[in-house]
Amino acid sequence: MGPHIQEPSEEELYEHHRFVASKGQDPLRVDKYLMNFIENATRNKIQQAAKDGHIWVNEQIVKQNYKVKAGDEVRVLFEHPPHELLLTPEDIPLDIVYEDDALLVVNKPAGMVVHPGHGNYSGTLINALLFHTKDLPTNENERPGLVHRIDKDTSGLLVVAKTEAAMTHLSKQFFDKTSEREYIALVWGNVEDDQGTVEGHIARNPKNRLQMHVFPMGDEGKEAVTHYKVLERLGYVTLLSCKLETGRTHQIRVHMKYIGHTLFNDERYGGDRILKGTTFTKYKQFVENAFKILPRQALHAKTLGFVHPVTGEFMRFNSELPEDMANCIAKWQEYAKHSK
């Protein structure tokens, strides 16, 4: 089975079409098959999609000469979202930390997708924001209000622009690396240095499109810089503060894995296994319980700071650790105390 596409990310693909070939389908090249089903599709566009690896059959990328058979599930993905699916306001409760005419700061729960795409066409933060605020400006990717993003299973603070001017002003701060973003992360292993900086360009992993990957030489991908500081050593895991200088897709998750300290319970990067510790059954049971308490990667966007686009004053917001993460950390603190 190929990867199951779930979470949107920076250079992400969006499902535009999905067909299941009927029982009577004689084997037919996938490009011809799609020509029959997609209105206004040019052969050229379909072949380009195939070349880009955007045609999937049964969750695997296929070439244009793949023969579609009865029962095959054919999906076509493109880099921009299908507009008609995107912008439905939905009455979803939001935890709004601050709001004025120019912007709002929201505390996003884990599990909520920031913007629609890939089968997550409803229940996203954008759907909720459009219900809350009627006219949001769109950014260059046609995404209303968004200046930056956080992953689906990461909790924490996000600023949303309510006017074009605020969006331009805030986006420039993120681009110029003057905004302040601090995350709390629980990672596997005892992080050796009390503080450090990870620099390694980040791009999509060529072997697994759903993961990002560090390219240390910097000849590929985008520059990425994470500063970390140890808050507490808890034996087989460490609690860190991570400050983002850049904001790449999955940046902290990828950078921490790169230095040998994958985030606790980060399934996509292999942190949902016991990566450090003993072989005792009792320990295994303890970790399994900790995974149950925190069924996602241990990452929370705690602090967000930026210059207000209208008043020019620097604003800083802090958020509490959500219960699942706080409970998981408390469990490890207890464990560390006893194992001393």
Coordinates of all heavy atoms in Angstrom, one line a residue, residues 211-293:
Q211 N 6.7 12.8 4.1 CA 7.7 13.2 5.1 C 8.5 14.3 4.5 O 8.7 14.4 3.3 CB 8.6 12.1 5.5 CG 8.1 11.1 6.4 CD 9.2 10.1 6.9 OE1 10.4 10.2 6.4 NE2 8.9 9.3 7.8
M212 N 9.0 15.2 5.4 CA 10.0 16.2 5.0 C 11.3 15.5 5.4 O 11.4 14.6 6.1 CB 9.8 17.5 5.6 CG 8.4 18.1 5.4 SD 7.9 18.3 3.7 CE 8.9 19.8 3.2
H213 N 12.4 16.1 4.9 CA 13.7 15.5 5.0 C 14.8 16.6 5.1 O 14.7 17.6 4.5 CB 14.0 14.6 3.8 CG 15.2 13.7 4.0 ND1 15.3 12.7 4.9 CD2 16.4 13.8 3.4 CE1 16.5 12.1 4.8 NE2 17.2 12.8 3.9
V214 N 15.8 16.4 5.9 CA 16.9 17.4 6.0 C 18.0 17.1 5.0 O 18.5 15.9 4.9 CB 17.5 17.4 7.5 CG1 18.7 18.3 7.5 CG2 16.5 17.9 8.5
F215 N 18.4 18.1 4.3 CA 19.5 18.0 3.3 C 20.6 18.9 3.9 O 20.6 20.1 3.7 CB 19.1 18.5 1.9 CG 18.1 17.6 1.3 CD1 16.7 17.8 1.6 CD2 18.4 16.5 0.6 CE1 15.7 16.9 1.0 CE2 17.5 15.6 0.0 CZ 16.1 15.8 0.3
P216 N 21.6 18.3 4.6 CA 22.6 19.1 5.4 C 23.5 20.0 4.5 O 23.9 21.0 5.0 CB 23.4 18.0 6.1 CG 23.1 16.7 5.4 CD 21.8 16.8 4.8
M217 N 23.7 19.6 3.3 CA 24.6 20.4 2.5 C 24.0 21.7 2.0 O 24.6 22.6 1.6 CB 25.1 19.6 1.2 CG 25.8 18.4 1.5 SD 27.2 18.7 2.8 CE 28.3 19.6 1.7
G218 N 22.6 21.7 2.1 CA 22.0 23.0 1.7 C 21.9 23.2 0.2 O 21.6 24.3 -0.2
D219 N 22.2 22.2 -0.6 CA 22.0 22.4 -2.0 C 20.6 22.1 -2.5 O 20.2 22.2 -3.6 CB 23.0 21.6 -2.8 CG 23.1 20.1 -2.3 OD1 22.3 19.8 -1.4 OD2 23.9 19.3 -2.9
E220 N 19.8 21.6 -1.5 CA 18.4 21.3 -1.9 C 17.5 21.8 -0.8 O 17.9 22.0 0.3 CB 18.2 19.7 -1.9 CG 18.1 19.2 -3.3 CD 17.7 17.7 -3.3 OE1 18.6 16.9 -3.2 OE2 16.5 17.4 -3.3
G221 N 16.2 22.0 -1.2 CA 15.3 22.4 -0.1 C 15.4 23.9 0.3 O 16.1 24.7 -0.3
K222 N 14.8 24.2 1.4 CA 14.7 25.6 1.9 C 15.5 25.7 3.2 O 15.4 24.8 4.0 CB 13.3 26.1 2.1 CG 12.5 26.1 0.8 CD 11.1 26.6 1.1 CE 10.2 26.7 -0.2 NZ 8.8 26.8 0.1
E223 N 16.1 26.8 3.4 CA 16.9 27.0 4.6 C 15.9 26.9 5.8 O 14.8 27.4 5.8 CB 17.4 28.5 4.6 CG 18.2 28.8 5.8 CD 18.2 30.3 6.1 OE1 17.5 31.1 5.5 OE2 19.0 30.7 7.0
A224 N 16.4 26.2 6.9 CA 15.6 26.0 8.1 C 16.5 26.1 9.3 O 17.6 25.5 9.3 CB 14.9 24.7 8.0
V225 N 16.1 26.9 10.3 CA 16.9 27.1 11.5 C 16.0 26.9 12.7 O 15.0 27.6 12.8 CB 17.6 28.5 11.5 CG1 18.5 28.6 12.8 CG2 18.4 28.7 10.2
T226 N 16.4 26.0 13.6 CA 15.6 25.8 14.9 C 16.6 26.0 16.0 O 17.7 25.4 16.0 CB 15.0 24.4 14.9 OG1 14.3 24.2 13.8 CG2 14.1 24.3 16.2
H227 N 16.3 26.8 17.0 CA 17.1 27.0 18.2 C 16.4 26.2 19.3 O 15.2 26.4 19.6 CB 17.2 28.4 18.6 CG 17.8 29.3 17.5 ND1 19.1 29.3 17.2 CD2 17.1 30.2 16.7 CE1 19.3 30.1 16.2 NE2 18.1 30.7 15.9
Y228 N 17.1 25.3 20.1 CA 16.4 24.6 21.1 C 17.1 24.8 22.5 O 18.3 25.1 22.5 CB 16.3 23.1 20.8 CG 17.7 22.4 20.7 CD1 18.3 21.9 21.9 CD2 18.3 22.2 19.5 CE1 19.5 21.3 21.9 CE2 19.6 21.6 19.5 CZ 20.1 21.1 20.7 OH 21.4 20.5 20.6
K229 N 16.4 24.6 23.5 CA 16.9 24.7 24.9 C 16.3 23.7 25.7 O 15.0 23.4 25.6 CB 16.5 26.1 25.4 CG 17.3 26.6 26.6 CD 17.1 28.1 26.9 CE 15.9 28.3 27.7 NZ 15.2 29.5 27.4
V230 N 17.1 23.0 26.5 CA 16.5 21.9 27.4 C 15.8 22.6 28.6 O 16.3 23.4 29.3 CB 17.6 21.0 27.9 CG1 17.1 20.0 29.0 CG2 18.2 20.2 26.8
L231 N 14.5 22.2 28.8 CA 13.8 22.7 29.9 C 13.9 21.7 31.1 O 14.0 22.0 32.2 CB 12.3 22.9 29.6 CG 12.0 23.9 28.5 CD1 10.5 23.9 28.1 CD2 12.4 25.3 28.9
E232 N 13.8 20.4 30.7 CA 13.8 19.3 31.8 C 14.3 18.0 31.2 O 13.8 17.6 30.1 CB 12.4 19.2 32.3 CG 12.4 18.7 33.8 CD 10.9 18.7 34.3 OE1 10.0 19.4 33.8 OE2 10.7 17.9 35.3
R233 N 15.2 17.3 31.9 CA 15.6 16.0 31.5 C 14.8 15.0 32.2 O 14.8 15.0 33.5 CB 17.1 15.8 31.7 CG 18.0 16.8 30.9 CD 19.4 16.7 31.2 NE 20.2 17.8 30.6 CZ 20.5 17.8 29.3 NH1 20.2 16.7 28.5 NH2 21.2 18.8 28.8
L234 N 14.2 14.1 31.5 CA 13.3 13.1 32.2 C 13.7 11.7 31.9 O 12.9 10.8 31.6 CB 11.8 13.4 31.8 CG 11.3 14.8 32.1 CD1 10.0 15.1 31.4 CD2 11.1 14.9 33.6
G235 N 15.0 11.4 31.9 CA 15.5 10.1 31.7 C 15.6 9.8 30.2 O 16.5 10.2 29.5
Y236 N 14.6 9.0 29.7 CA 14.6 8.6 28.3 C 13.9 9.6 27.4 O 13.9 9.3 26.2 CB 13.9 7.2 28.2 CG 14.6 6.1 29.0 CD1 13.9 5.5 30.0 CD2 15.9 5.9 28.8 CE1 14.5 4.5 30.8 CE2 16.6 4.9 29.6 CZ 15.9 4.2 30.6 OH 16.5 3.3 31.4
V237 N 13.4 10.6 27.9 CA 12.8 11.7 27.1 C 13.3 13.1 27.6 O 13.8 13.1 28.8 CB 11.3 11.7 27.1 CG1 10.7 10.5 26.4 CG2 10.7 11.9 28.4
T238 N 13.3 14.1 26.8 CA 13.7 15.4 27.2 C 12.6 16.4 26.8 O 12.1 16.3 25.7 CB 15.0 15.8 26.5 OG1 16.0 14.8 26.8 CG2 15.6 17.1 27.1
L239 N 12.4 17.4 27.7 CA 11.4 18.4 27.4 C 12.2 19.6 26.9 O 13.1 20.1 27.5 CB 10.6 18.8 28.7 CG 9.4 19.7 28.5 CD1 8.4 19.1 27.6 CD2 8.8 20.1 29.8
L240 N 11.8 20.1 25.7 CA 12.6 21.2 25.1 C 11.7 22.4 24.8 O 10.5 22.3 24.6 CB 13.1 20.7 23.7 CG 14.1 19.6 23.6 CD1 14.4 19.3 22.1 CD2 15.4 19.9 24.4
S241 N 12.4 23.6 24.7 CA 11.7 24.8 24.2 C 12.4 24.9 22.8 O 13.7 24.9 22.7 CB 12.0 26.0 25.0 OG 12.1 27.1 24.2
C242 N 11.6 25.0 21.7 CA 12.2 25.2 20.4 C 11.7 26.6 19.8 O 10.5 26.8 19.8 CB 11.7 24.1 19.4 SG 12.3 22.5 19.9
K243 N 12.7 27.4 19.4 CA 12.3 28.7 18.8 C 12.6 28.6 17.3 O 13.7 28.2 16.9 CB 13.1 29.8 19.4 CG 12.6 30.1 20.8 CD 13.0 31.5 21.3 CE 12.2 31.8 22.5 NZ 12.8 32.9 23.3
L244 N 11.6 28.9 16.5 CA 11.7 28.9 15.1 C 12.3 30.2 14.5 O 11.8 31.3 14.8 CB 10.4 28.7 14.4 CG 9.7 27.4 14.6 CD1 8.4 27.4 13.8 CD2 10.6 26.2 14.1
E245 N 13.4 30.0 13.7 CA 13.9 31.2 13.0 C 13.2 31.2 11.6 O 12.9 32.3 11.1 CB 15.4 31.1 12.9 CG 16.0 32.4 12.5 CD 17.5 32.3 12.5 OE1 18.1 32.0 13.6 OE2 18.1 32.6 11.5
T246 N 13.0 30.1 11.1 CA 12.3 29.9 9.8 C 11.0 29.1 10.1 O 11.0 28.4 11.2 CB 13.1 29.2 8.8 OG1 13.5 27.9 9.3 CG2 14.3 30.0 8.4
G247 N 10.1 29.0 9.2 CA 8.9 28.2 9.5 C 8.6 27.2 8.3 O 7.7 27.5 7.5
R248 N 9.4 26.1 8.3 CA 9.2 25.2 7.2 C 8.2 24.1 7.6 O 8.0 23.9 8.8 CB 10.5 24.5 6.8 CG 11.6 25.4 6.5 CD 11.3 26.2 5.2 NE 12.3 27.3 5.0 CZ 12.0 28.5 4.5 NH1 10.8 28.8 4.2 NH2 12.9 29.4 4.3
T249 N 7.6 23.5 6.6 CA 6.7 22.4 6.9 C 7.3 21.3 7.8 O 8.5 20.9 7.5 CB 6.2 21.7 5.6 OG1 5.6 22.7 4.8 CG2 5.2 20.6 5.9
H250 N 6.7 21.0 8.9 CA 7.2 20.0 9.9 C 8.6 20.3 10.5 O 9.3 19.4 10.9 CB 7.3 18.6 9.2 CG 6.0 18.0 8.7 ND1 5.9 16.8 8.1 CD2 4.7 18.5 8.8 CE1 4.6 16.6 7.7 NE2 3.9 17.6 8.1
Q251 N 9.0 21.6 10.5 CA 10.4 21.9 10.8 C 10.9 21.3 12.1 O 12.0 20.6 12.0 CB 10.6 23.4 10.8 CG 12.0 23.8 11.1 CD 12.2 25.3 11.0 OE1 11.8 25.9 10.0 NE2 13.0 25.9 11.9
I252 N 10.2 21.5 13.2 CA 10.8 21.0 14.5 C 10.8 19.5 14.4 O 11.7 18.8 14.9 CB 9.9 21.5 15.6 CG1 10.1 23.0 15.8 CG2 10.3 20.8 16.9 CD1 9.2 23.7 16.8
R253 N 9.7 18.9 13.9 CA 9.6 17.4 13.8 C 10.8 16.8 13.1 O 11.4 15.8 13.5 CB 8.3 17.0 13.2 CG 7.1 17.6 14.0 CD 5.8 17.5 13.2 NE 5.4 16.1 13.0 CZ 4.3 15.8 12.3 NH1 3.6 16.7 11.7 NH2 4.0 14.5 12.1
V254 N 11.1 17.4 11.9 CA 12.2 16.9 11.1 C 13.6 17.2 11.7 O 14.5 16.4 11.7 CB 12.1 17.6 9.7 CG1 13.2 17.0 8.7 CG2 10.8 17.4 9.1
H255 N 13.8 18.4 12.2 CA 15.1 18.8 12.7 C 15.4 18.0 14.0 O 16.5 17.6 14.2 CB 15.1 20.3 13.1 CG 15.6 21.2 12.0 ND1 15.5 22.5 12.0 CD2 16.2 20.8 10.8 CE1 16.1 23.0 10.9 NE2 16.5 22.0 10.2
M256 N 14.4 17.7 14.8 CA 14.7 16.9 16.0 C 15.0 15.5 15.6 O 15.9 14.9 16.2 CB 13.5 16.9 17.0 CG 13.3 18.3 17.6 SD 14.7 18.8 18.5 CE 15.2 20.3 17.7
K257 N 14.3 14.9 14.7 CA 14.7 13.6 14.2 C 16.1 13.5 13.7 O 16.9 12.6 13.9 CB 13.7 13.1 13.1 CG 14.0 11.7 12.6 CD 13.0 11.1 11.6 CE 13.5 9.7 11.3 NZ 12.5 9.0 10.6
Y258 N 16.4 14.6 12.9 CA 17.7 14.7 12.3 C 18.9 14.7 13.3 O 19.9 14.1 13.1 CB 17.8 16.0 11.5 CG 19.1 16.3 10.8 CD1 19.6 15.5 9.9 CD2 19.8 17.5 11.2 CE1 20.8 15.8 9.2 CE2 21.0 17.8 10.6 CZ 21.5 16.9 9.6 OH 22.7 17.2 9.0
I259 N 18.6 15.2 14.5 CA 19.7 15.2 15.5 C 19.5 14.0 16.5 O 20.1 13.9 17.5 CB 19.8 16.5 16.3 CG1 18.5 16.8 17.1 CG2 20.2 17.7 15.4 CD1 18.7 17.9 18.2
G260 N 18.7 13.1 16.1 CA 18.5 11.8 16.8 C 17.6 11.9 18.0 O 17.6 11.1 18.9
H261 N 16.7 12.9 18.0 CA 15.7 13.0 19.1 C 14.3 13.2 18.5 O 13.7 14.3 18.6 CB 16.1 14.2 20.0 CG 17.4 13.9 20.7 ND1 17.5 13.0 21.7 CD2 18.6 14.4 20.5 CE1 18.8 13.0 22.1 NE2 19.5 13.8 21.4
T262 N 13.8 12.2 17.9 CA 12.4 12.3 17.3 C 11.4 12.6 18.4 O 11.5 12.3 19.5 CB 12.1 10.9 16.7 OG1 13.1 10.5 15.8 CG2 10.7 10.9 16.0
L263 N 10.4 13.4 17.9 CA 9.3 13.8 18.9 C 8.6 12.6 19.4 O 8.3 11.6 18.7 CB 8.3 14.7 18.2 CG 8.5 16.2 18.5 CD1 9.8 16.7 18.0 CD2 7.4 17.0 17.9
F264 N 8.3 12.7 20.7 CA 7.5 11.6 21.3 C 6.1 11.4 20.6 O 5.4 12.4 20.4 CB 7.3 11.9 22.8 CG 6.7 10.8 23.6 CD1 7.4 9.7 24.0 CD2 5.3 10.9 24.0 CE1 6.8 8.7 24.7 CE2 4.7 9.8 24.7 CZ 5.5 8.7 25.1
N265 N 5.9 10.2 20.3 CA 4.6 9.8 19.6 C 4.4 10.5 18.3 O 3.2 10.7 17.9 CB 3.4 9.9 20.5 CG 2.3 8.9 20.2 OD1 2.6 8.0 19.3 ND2 1.2 9.0 20.8
D266 N 5.4 10.9 17.6 CA 5.3 11.4 16.2 C 5.3 10.3 15.2 O 6.3 9.8 14.7 CB 6.4 12.4 15.9 CG 6.2 13.2 14.6 OD1 5.2 12.8 13.9 OD2 6.9 14.1 14.3
E267 N 4.1 9.9 14.9 CA 3.9 8.7 14.1 C 4.6 8.8 12.7 O 5.2 7.9 12.3 CB 2.4 8.4 13.9 CG 2.1 7.1 13.1 CD 0.6 7.0 12.7 OE1 -0.2 8.0 13.1 OE2 0.3 6.1 12.1
R268 N 4.4 10.0 12.1 CA 4.9 10.1 10.7 C 6.4 10.0 10.7 O 7.0 9.6 9.7 CB 4.5 11.5 10.2 CG 4.9 11.6 8.7 CD 4.2 12.7 8.0 NE 2.8 12.6 8.0 CZ 2.0 13.4 7.2 NH1 2.5 14.3 6.5 NH2 0.7 13.2 7.2
Y269 N 7.1 10.3 11.8 CA 8.6 10.3 11.8 C 9.1 9.2 12.7 O 10.3 9.2 13.0 CB 9.1 11.7 12.2 CG 8.9 12.7 11.1 CD1 7.8 13.5 11.1 CD2 9.7 12.7 9.9 CE1 7.5 14.4 10.1 CE2 9.4 13.6 8.9 CZ 8.4 14.4 9.0 OH 8.1 15.3 8.0
G270 N 8.3 8.2 13.0 CA 8.7 7.0 13.7 C 8.8 7.2 15.3 O 9.4 6.3 15.9
G271 N 8.3 8.2 15.8 CA 8.3 8.5 17.2 C 7.3 7.7 18.0 O 7.2 7.9 19.3
D272 N 6.4 7.0 17.3 CA 5.4 6.2 18.0 C 5.8 4.8 18.4 O 5.0 3.9 18.7 CB 4.1 6.2 17.1 CG 4.4 5.5 15.8 OD1 5.5 5.4 15.4 OD2 3.4 5.0 15.2
R273 N 7.2 4.6 18.4 CA 7.7 3.4 18.9 C 8.6 3.7 20.1 O 9.0 4.9 20.2 CB 8.6 2.7 17.8 CG 7.8 2.3 16.5 CD 8.7 1.5 15.6 NE 9.9 2.1 15.2 CZ 10.0 3.0 14.1 NH1 8.9 3.3 13.4 NH2 11.2 3.5 13.8
I274 N 9.0 2.7 20.8 CA 9.9 2.9 22.0 C 11.3 3.1 21.4 O 11.9 2.1 21.0 CB 9.8 1.8 23.0 CG1 8.4 1.8 23.6 CG2 10.9 2.0 24.1 CD1 8.1 0.7 24.6
L275 N 11.8 4.3 21.4 CA 13.1 4.6 20.7 C 14.2 4.6 21.8 O 15.4 4.5 21.4 CB 13.1 5.9 20.0 CG 12.1 6.0 18.8 CD1 12.2 7.3 18.1 CD2 12.4 4.9 17.8
K276 N 13.9 4.8 23.0 CA 14.9 4.8 24.1 C 14.3 4.1 25.3 O 13.1 4.2 25.6 CB 15.3 6.3 24.5 CG 16.1 7.0 23.4 CD 17.5 6.6 23.4 CE 18.4 7.4 22.5 NZ 18.3 7.0 21.1
G277 N 15.2 3.5 26.1 CA 14.7 3.0 27.4 C 15.1 1.6 27.6 O 16.0 1.1 27.0
T278 N 14.4 0.9 28.5 CA 14.7 -0.5 28.9 C 13.9 -1.5 28.2 O 12.9 -1.1 27.4 CB 14.5 -0.6 30.4 OG1 13.1 -0.7 30.6 CG2 15.1 0.5 31.2
T279 N 14.2 -2.7 28.4 CA 13.4 -3.8 27.7 C 12.4 -4.4 28.7 O 11.7 -5.3 28.4 CB 14.3 -4.9 27.2 OG1 15.2 -5.3 28.3 CG2 15.2 -4.4 26.1
F280 N 12.3 -3.8 29.9 CA 11.3 -4.3 30.9 C 9.9 -4.2 30.4 O 9.5 -3.2 29.8 CB 11.4 -3.6 32.2 CG 12.8 -3.8 32.9 CD1 13.4 -2.7 33.4 CD2 13.4 -5.0 33.0 CE1 14.7 -2.8 34.0 CE2 14.6 -5.2 33.6 CZ 15.3 -4.1 34.1
T281 N 9.1 -5.2 30.6 CA 7.7 -5.2 30.2 C 7.0 -4.0 30.9 O 6.1 -3.4 30.3 CB 7.0 -6.5 30.6 OG1 7.9 -7.6 30.3 CG2 5.7 -6.7 30.0
K282 N 7.4 -3.8 32.1 CA 6.7 -2.7 32.9 C 7.0 -1.4 32.2 O 6.1 -0.5 32.1 CB 7.3 -2.7 34.3 CG 6.4 -2.2 35.3 CD 6.9 -2.4 36.7 CE 6.2 -1.3 37.6 NZ 6.9 -1.2 38.9
Y283 N 8.2 -1.2 31.7 CA 8.5 0.1 31.0 C 7.7 0.2 29.7 O 7.1 1.2 29.4 CB 10.0 0.1 30.7 CG 10.4 1.4 29.9 CD1 10.4 2.6 30.4 CD2 10.7 1.2 28.5 CE1 10.8 3.7 29.7 CE2 11.1 2.3 27.8 CZ 11.1 3.6 28.3 OH 11.5 4.7 27.6
K284 N 7.6 -0.9 29.0 CA 6.9 -1.0 27.8 C 5.4 -0.5 28.0 O 4.8 0.3 27.3 CB 6.9 -2.4 27.2 CG 6.3 -2.5 25.8 CD 6.6 -3.8 25.2 CE 5.9 -3.9 23.8 NZ 4.7 -4.7 23.7
Q285 N 4.9 -1.1 29.1 CA 3.5 -0.8 29.5 C 3.3 0.7 29.8 O 2.4 1.4 29.4 CB 3.1 -1.6 30.7 CG 1.6 -1.7 31.0 CD 0.8 -2.1 29.8 OE1 1.0 -3.2 29.3 NE2 -0.1 -1.2 29.4
F286 N 4.3 1.2 30.5 CA 4.3 2.7 30.9 C 4.3 3.5 29.6 O 3.5 4.5 29.5 CB 5.6 3.0 31.7 CG 5.9 4.5 31.8 CD1 5.2 5.3 32.7 CD2 6.8 5.1 31.0 CE1 5.4 6.6 32.8 CE2 7.1 6.4 31.0 CZ 6.4 7.2 31.9
V287 N 5.2 3.2 28.6 CA 5.2 4.0 27.4 C 3.9 3.9 26.6 O 3.4 4.9 26.1 CB 6.4 3.7 26.5 CG1 6.4 4.4 25.2 CG2 7.7 3.9 27.3
E288 N 3.4 2.7 26.5 CA 2.1 2.5 25.8 C 1.0 3.4 26.5 O 0.2 4.0 25.8 CB 1.7 1.0 25.9 CG 2.5 0.0 25.2 CD 2.5 0.2 23.6 OE1 1.6 0.8 23.1 OE2 3.5 -0.1 23.0
N289 N 1.0 3.4 27.8 CA 0.0 4.3 28.5 C 0.3 5.8 28.2 O -0.7 6.5 28.0 CB 0.1 4.1 30.0 CG -0.5 2.8 30.4 OD1 -1.3 2.2 29.7 ND2 -0.1 2.2 31.5
A290 N 1.5 6.2 28.1 CA 1.9 7.6 27.8 C 1.4 7.9 26.3 O 0.9 9.0 26.1 CB 3.3 7.8 27.9
F291 N 1.5 6.9 25.4 CA 1.0 7.1 24.0 C -0.5 7.3 24.0 O -1.0 8.1 23.3 CB 1.4 5.9 23.2 CG 2.8 5.8 22.7 CD1 3.4 4.6 22.4 CD2 3.6 7.0 22.7 CE1 4.7 4.5 21.9 CE2 5.0 6.9 22.3 CZ 5.5 5.7 21.9
K292 N -1.1 6.5 24.9 CA -2.6 6.6 25.0 C -3.0 8.0 25.5 O -4.0 8.6 25.0 CB -3.2 5.5 25.9 CG -3.3 4.2 25.2 CD -4.3 3.3 26.0 CE -4.3 1.9 25.4 NZ -3.2 1.1 26.1
I293 N -2.3 8.5 26.5 CA -2.6 9.8 27.1 C -2.4 10.9 26.0 O -3.2 11.9 25.9 CB -1.7 10.1 28.3 CG1 -2.2 9.2 29.4 CG2 -1.8 11.6 28.7 CD1 -1.2 9.2 30.6

